[in-house]
Amino acid sequence: MPRYLRPKTEGSIFFFTVVAFGRRKILTIENSRKILSNAVAEVRTQYPFSINAWVLLPEHLHAIWTLPEGDTDYSKRWGLIKAKFSKESKLLFHEEHSLTPSRNKRRETTIWQRRFWEHSIRDDEDFRNHIDYIHYNPVKHGLVQRVGDWPYSTFHSYVREGLYPENWGEGVSFSRDDSFGE
């Protein structure tokens, strides 16, 4: 059985991609957004972290988090968030017919993919590139024509803070080589 090693850099910044099981388009449904928001808030009270950027798409999400100094356990946080979401949304989204013996053995639902993808942010340029990628993602996936038209993103707070102009992203493109974990 392969062993997946995660970086153990303390107080670091990480980019994540987390995907719904089977890439089902369940995450932007109103109930899902509320359940996910509550799960994240609850976990943050117990295991603090800062959210630097976030985008929620129908079947996946991207986020950048900063963990506190001396703390490296983002896997625990994602595990708790996914478990809380799964528990609250099981009646809505669990598909018993898709449950495999492996998922059953691990007591998993059919709501999330088992693993997530993470990347340690290396420097300021890497940080900016990943933030731009997160905010441009709804356009990349053809969900909207303009970045500002997607409501489930930290882009709007970046505009309010003066970090992006409202029309940011017009004329921007990301190649397939810049897929950042998709």
Side-chain angles (χ1 to χ4, degrees):
M1 172 186 250
R3 186 167 172 185
Y4 293 90
L5 299 176
R6 303 261 186 214
K8 296 293 183 192
T9 309
E10 298 182 357
S12 292
I13 302 172
F14 299 95
F15 168 87
F16 302 99
T17 300
V18 183
V19 182
F21 181 76
R23 286 207 173 254
R24 290 173 44 219
K25 297 176 190 273
I26 61 173
L27 300 178
T28 53
I29 297 168
E30 185 176 356
N31 285 343
S32 294
R33 294 191 324 268
K34 288 177 184 175
I35 294 167
L36 185 58
S37 179
N38 290 340
V40 169
E42 189 176 328
V43 170
R44 284 178 78 186
T45 62
Q46 192 175 12
Y47 298 96
F49 60 94
S50 298
I51 298 172
N52 304 101
W54 183 282
V55 66
L56 184 65
L57 298 153
E59 78 290 343
H60 72 284
L61 65 88
H62 297 292
I64 297 176
W65 292 355
T66 300
L67 272 58
E69 280 298 318
D71 189 342
T72 61
D73 204 354
Y74 54 78
S75 288
K76 171 94 153 175
R77 289 164 172 85
W78 276 120
L80 289 169
I81 290 167
K82 289 165 72 173
K84 288 174 187 301
F85 181 92
S86 296
K87 182 179 179 184
E88 292 295 316
S89 65
K90 188 172 183 177
L91 292 176
L92 297 170
F93 302 122
H94 178 66
E95 294 181 338
E96 194 68 32
H97 67 276
S98 296
L99 197 59
T100 64
S102 174
R103 291 185 86 76
N104 200 28
K105 178 182 172 185
R106 289 181 171 89
R107 297 179 16 223
E108 295 175 334
T109 64
T110 57
I111 297 172
W112 295 105
Q113 283 188 6
R114 182 171 295 146
R115 291 184 172 76
F116 57 87
W117 192 84
E118 96 288 325
H119 164 78
S120 295
I121 299 295
R122 297 180 301 272
D123 54 31
D124 289 343
E125 181 181 1
D126 195 32
F127 184 69
R128 282 190 305 274
N129 287 340
H130 280 82
I131 288 175
D132 288 350
Y133 179 81
I134 282 174
H135 292 141
Y136 193 75
N137 213 249
V139 175
K140 176 186 170 209
H141 287 283
L143 298 169
V144 292
Q145 294 294 311
R146 295 174 352 106
V147 175
D149 293 340
W150 189 251
Y152 315 120
S153 165
T154 52
F155 174 77
H156 306 285
S157 61
Y158 274 62
V159 170
R160 282 191 300 275
E161 294 171 21
L163 300 171
Y164 280 130
E166 277 191 47
N167 67 343
W168 181 86
E170 294 174 15
V172 171
S173 68
F174 287 89
S175 71
R176 271 297 183 204
D177 294 341
D178 295 333
S179 62
F180 296 138
E182 286 186 50

